Amino acid sequence: MSPTVLALFGFGMVIAFMVLIMTKRMSALASLIVIPIVVAAIAGFGPDIGSMGIKGVVALAPTAAVLLFAVLYFGVMIDAGLFDPLVRRVLKAVGGDPRKVALGTAIVALIVSLDGDGATTAIVTITAFLPIYRRLNMNVLVLAVLLGSSNAMINIAPWGGPTARVASALHLDINDVFLPLIPAIAIGIVGVLALAWHLGGVERRRLGVTDVGPEASGFTSLRADAPDLARPRLLWVNLLLTLAVLAGAITRILSLPLIFMVGLAIAVTVNYPRLNDQRARIGAHAANAIGIVILVFAAGVFTGILDGTGMVAAMGGAFVHVIPPEMGPYMGFITALASGPLSFVMSNDAYYFGIVPVIAEAAGHYGVAPVEIARASLLGQTIHNLSPLVAGVYLVAGMLDVELGAMQRFGLKWAALMAALLVFGALITGAVPFVVG
């Protein structure tokens, strides 16, 4: 089959998937499984669909394990009351001012994102702020946007994932890729705080400022319906354990799944020594954890088939071939603009290992250095964070109890604005050239 036909099948698959989930005609779970199988079968890959799908599932197994045990770990920490003092302090600091709440959301998300794990950032930030949003009747989609934008900015750091991928794919020194981007990232962070100020202001005009504090709000704990679960005497033990888990995640002293496995084993044993209590705590959070893991594995089927059929490579090749030769010297700028849409329709692995090397090869003919293409390819992460192929997006949607389509409809315009700000920052600081020659 020709690359052109493969590319058409690939783009058709992605478009069909997006239309169906955003119009709520199919669930994300069903779409991720059914659509790639149907399209691959029509394209003539029937005998290989099984092996391709399983390969994709296996590739995402570590991510699923991290999400599973991270959700269970932080669920136990919530039960034990670890985050209750934080929520009380935040409520006291922000009061009933939606603008302060939005700014607090962005600041906490930026700080927590330093651990390099999006799932941890989502769990901690949502756990701390969701009760406040609900108390003030704020739009929880604001929380989702600020969380995703904050995480995307910090995730460009070498330990976040995308930078390590593209440096490996193009055989570059990771510092050569990352360090020149620091000024652009700083500009992006200022942009996130400005966005929080704006969205918080919109909510403040809609809701007003409420005179509310920890006592006035009626907040007692995140598990107010089961106060006997709290372990206030173990607060410092749980805090130190959590800091150790996060430090292990940052330093990669062990693999991420194993870090959270060990953390969960210690947490549930220390806080709930009785076996019946341990089973009850795991069971209480199992439904949320399993639901997320199921969606991750479904995404594995989608990406496995998209990659295994060669559609991803064909889509990337089609992108390169539609660029006129006179546009070649602008490949750095073009790659920066395209990084958001391209990383939205495919996984980071597919994009950085499959597409970016093709773009870098083509750009080299016009004098654009591979390291400049690498930097440009990282600038669309705010848009990528809303992709249905990102496992963490289901975690956020599940914890906020909102539809993925609603998150995308509300958040894509702001994600595109933040990506444009990153591109602007990279251009004016010289990290990515507008044109060479």
Side-chain angles (χ1 to χ4, degrees):
M1 184 179 297
S2 71
T4 300
V5 175
L6 270 179
L8 290 174
F9 273 115
F11 285 120
M13 181 191 301
V14 173
I15 291 171
F17 172 76
M18 294 301 304
V19 169
L20 287 172
I21 66 167
M22 294 187 73
T23 59
K24 300 182 181 180
R25 294 175 182 249
M26 286 185 74
S27 68
L29 173 64
S31 300
L32 285 167
I33 297 172
V34 173
I35 291 175
I37 290 176
V38 171
V39 173
I42 293 174
F45 294 95
D48 301 316
I49 289 175
S51 60
M52 291 185 293
I54 290 299
K55 185 177 180 180
V57 169
V58 171
L60 284 183
T63 299
V66 170
L67 291 176
L68 172 62
F69 287 97
V71 168
L72 294 176
Y73 175 82
F74 283 103
V76 170
M77 288 294 107
I78 292 169
D79 292 341
L82 173 62
F83 298 103
D84 292 347
L86 172 61
V87 175
R88 293 191 191 99
R89 285 181 173 83
V90 170
L91 277 168
K92 185 177 181 179
V94 304
D97 188 342
R99 175 168 279 163
K100 291 182 179 178
V101 172
L103 284 169
T105 303
I107 292 169
V108 169
L110 286 166
I111 293 171
V112 180
S113 292
L114 289 169
D115 74 347
D117 179 48
T120 300
T121 302
I123 293 169
V124 172
T125 306
I126 293 174
T127 298
F129 282 92
L130 185 56
I132 306 172
Y133 277 72
R134 287 177 173 166
R135 170 61 183 167
L136 299 180
N137 293 317
M138 289 179 64
N139 185 357
V140 296
L141 295 177
V142 171
L143 195 164
V145 167
L146 297 177
L147 170 63
S149 298
S150 300
N151 181 251
M153 296 298 174
I154 304 301
N155 204 42
I156 299 175
W159 57 86
T163 303
R165 283 180 173 88
V166 74
S168 299
L170 299 183
H171 305 287
L172 301 170
D173 186 309
I174 198 166
N175 287 330
D176 292 339
V177 178
F178 172 67
L179 294 180
L181 283 174
I182 290 178
I185 295 171
I187 293 172
I189 290 173
V190 173
V192 171
L193 295 176
L195 178 61
W197 179 271
H198 169 72
L199 293 178
V202 171
E203 290 297 280
R204 185 162 70 173
R205 289 190 292 273
R206 183 173 70 88
L207 301 168
V209 177
T210 305
D211 183 14
V212 59
E215 295 79 14
S217 69
F219 175 83
T220 54
S221 75
L222 296 175
R223 288 287 179 264
D225 57 334
D228 57 308
L229 295 177
R231 298 293 187 265
R233 294 181 179 179
L234 295 174
L235 176 63
W236 289 104
V237 173
N238 287 327
L239 178 59
L240 290 173
L241 175 60
T242 300
L243 291 175
V245 168
L246 295 178
I250 294 171
T251 60
R252 298 293 198 269
I253 191 171
L254 295 173
S255 65
L256 276 179
L258 191 55
I259 287 171
F260 281 105
M261 287 179 186
V262 173
L264 175 62
I266 296 173
V268 76
T269 302
V270 169
N271 288 280
Y272 306 102
R274 296 174 53 190
L275 293 180
N276 287 340
D277 291 340
Q278 293 178 15
R279 282 194 290 268
R281 291 303 87 223
I282 298 298
H285 303 288
N288 186 37
I290 294 300
I292 295 167
V293 169
I294 288 174
L295 285 171
V296 172
F297 282 133
V301 174
F302 191 98
T303 56
I305 291 176
L306 196 65
D307 182 56
T309 56
M311 292 179 189
V312 165
M315 292 161 69
F319 166 74
V320 172
H321 286 105
V322 298
I323 298 176
E326 59 270 17
M327 296 298 292
Y330 298 89
M331 283 291 284
F333 176 60
I334 293 172
T335 301
L337 292 181
S339 61
L342 284 178
S343 62
F344 183 81
V345 301
M346 58 190 71
S347 68
N348 269 337
D349 286 335
Y351 176 52
Y352 289 113
F353 291 112
I355 304 304
V356 175
V358 177
I359 297 175
E361 176 65 25
H365 294 287
Y366 301 99
V368 183
V371 71
E372 295 167 338
I373 294 297
R375 294 178 200 137
S377 71
L378 295 167
L379 303 178
Q381 284 298 299
T382 54
I383 297 174
H384 172 75
N385 271 8
L386 280 171
S387 169
L389 303 180
V390 176
V393 76
Y394 300 107
L395 174 65
V396 173
M399 293 188 70
L400 296 180
D401 194 23
V402 296
E403 293 290 335
L404 174 58
M407 282 177 50
Q408 292 172 328
R409 286 191 296 272
F410 181 84
L412 273 174
K413 60 181 178 295
W414 302 116
L417 178 62
M418 292 297 101
L421 185 61
L422 271 177
V423 172
F424 172 75
L427 290 175
I428 65 172
T429 59
V432 173
F434 177 71
V435 63
V436 296

